[in-house]
Amino acid sequence: MVVAINVVAASGIAKIADMERPASLTVRSHRIMGMVFMVQLTNLGFLAAFVHLDLDVHIFGEGIFGLIGNGIFTDLVSEWYVVVGSSVLLTTCLQTVCPLLGILTSWLQVARRWCCACRWRARSTLVDLYTPPHFELAMQHAQQLCILFVAFMFS
């Protein structure tokens, strides 16, 4: 669930950065990297930790809305690392693999070119067919930075 939220949030953040009408591509990349990093760090690092803590707070249920602070651990004991660490490790591994799934889209693009190139003769359709998808370098770096930061934070 965390990985799905991170993927959807990253694409939404790119659209938000475009709506801000940045002055240059560098400013746009800087905004995307900062926002993606903060959203993914909050989603992966802090929420994974706070969901399993027992904060002894009662705001609209046990914990905060029955979600955050409704755990069983009051301190960072070895069992906390087993429960939370395993979920964070699994999510981090999935976050590492998800950008590599972009390779599959390039293979699908090659297969689409192979199937459709002989049928389409118009120049505009051929340009659309052979134009590769846009690669967001800032988003990839933000995901890697988040993974490294969470690894250092929980080690």
Side-chain angles (χ1 to χ4, degrees), residues 73-90:
F73 301 109
T74 57
D75 197 11
L76 301 177
V77 294
S78 61
E79 291 85 17
W80 185 87
Y81 285 104
V82 170
V83 173
V84 179
S86 62
S87 68
V88 168
L89 181 65
L90 176 67

Side-chain angles (χ1 to χ4, degrees):
M1 187 68 180
V2 171
V3 176
I5 291 171
N6 284 346
V7 169
V8 170
S11 63
I13 286 171
K15 292 183 187 336
I16 290 171
D18 288 335
M19 286 191 300
E20 291 179 353
R21 296 183 185 174
S24 67
L25 189 59
T26 304
V27 172
R28 179 184 179 271
S29 296
H30 187 332
R31 288 180 183 164
I32 287 175
M33 186 166 173
M35 287 191 284
V36 168
F37 172 72
M38 289 309 296
V39 166
Q40 289 187 356
L41 179 67
T42 303
N43 192 15
L44 175 61
F46 297 126
L47 286 183
F50 288 132
V51 163
H52 295 285
L53 285 178
D54 183 12
L55 297 177
D56 199 26
V57 175
H58 301 288
I59 300 174
F60 298 115
E62 287 193 35
I64 300 171
F65 297 113
L67 298 172
I68 298 174
N70 193 18
I72 57 173
F73 301 109
T74 57
D75 197 11
L76 301 177
V77 294
S78 61
E79 291 85 17
W80 185 87
Y81 285 104
V82 170
V83 173
V84 179
S86 62
S87 68
V88 168
L89 181 65
L90 176 67
T91 306
T92 304
C93 290
L94 288 174
Q95 279 289 107
T96 305
V97 172
C98 277
L100 297 177
L101 294 178
I103 295 171
L104 293 178
T105 60
S106 66
W107 289 346
L108 292 174
Q109 183 76 10
V110 169
R112 183 173 168 236
R113 286 178 193 154
W114 184 76
C115 292
C116 300
C118 60
R119 291 187 304 206
W120 294 347
R121 300 283 183 207
R123 181 180 182 276
S124 62
T125 57
L126 287 174
V127 167
D128 291 339
L129 182 65
Y130 283 96
T131 302
H134 184 68
F135 181 72
E136 289 284 349
L137 187 63
M139 203 173 303
Q140 300 295 327
H141 283 304
Q143 289 174 348
Q144 293 171 358
L145 183 64
C146 178
I147 290 168
L148 287 173
F149 194 84
V150 167
F152 288 137
M153 186 171 66
F154 284 111
S155 64

